[in-house]
Amino acid sequence: LGGMITPIASPQNAIALVALQQVVGADVSFGRWSSVAAPVALVGTLGVWLLLLLLLRPDDCAVLPRVACGVTPLTRTKKFSLGAVAVAVLLWGTLSWPPLKQT
């Protein structure tokens, strides 16, 4: 569900953007895509959460393995990855702003 929120979250979204532009002639911006997809993802996430609450019973949880929770240090690799994602989102989100639209 989270992969639908932005155009760069999954390859299917990029394919859908190209199809919308070529077949329908609709030029959907990053912000427009996100403003439509975010509420759908939120409703879907809440629906799945409610479904899990209804279907999972306390006895079922006894067989689930424990997950180690804790804060891990922010390594150099993690910082680089976060920076690369931030730059990608920033650049994609500003493509509809002049003068980047003409390039």
Side-chain angles (χ1 to χ4, degrees):
L1 290 170
M4 69 181 354
I5 295 177
T6 65
I8 61 172
S10 70
Q12 297 89 330
N13 298 351
I15 293 168
L17 279 176
V18 172
L20 282 169
Q21 188 174 24
Q22 291 178 352
V23 176
V24 182
D27 192 19
V28 181
S29 69
F30 188 94
R32 179 73 175 149
W33 178 284
S34 297
S35 69
V36 171
V40 174
L42 179 63
V43 169
T45 301
L46 290 174
V48 169
W49 179 65
L50 290 172
L51 188 65
L52 287 173
L53 285 177
L54 291 173
L55 296 177
L56 284 180
R57 301 287 174 227
D59 297 338
D60 297 338
C61 295
V63 296
L64 294 175
R66 284 273 184 218
V67 176
C69 296
V71 178
T72 58
L74 197 57
T75 63
R76 183 176 177 172
T77 303
K78 290 179 184 178
K79 288 178 186 176
F80 179 79
S81 298
L82 286 171
V85 169
V87 167
V89 169
L90 178 69
L91 290 176
W92 196 310
T94 57
L95 282 178
S96 59
W97 294 351
L100 294 176
K101 182 77 172 173
Q102 298 166 357
T103 59

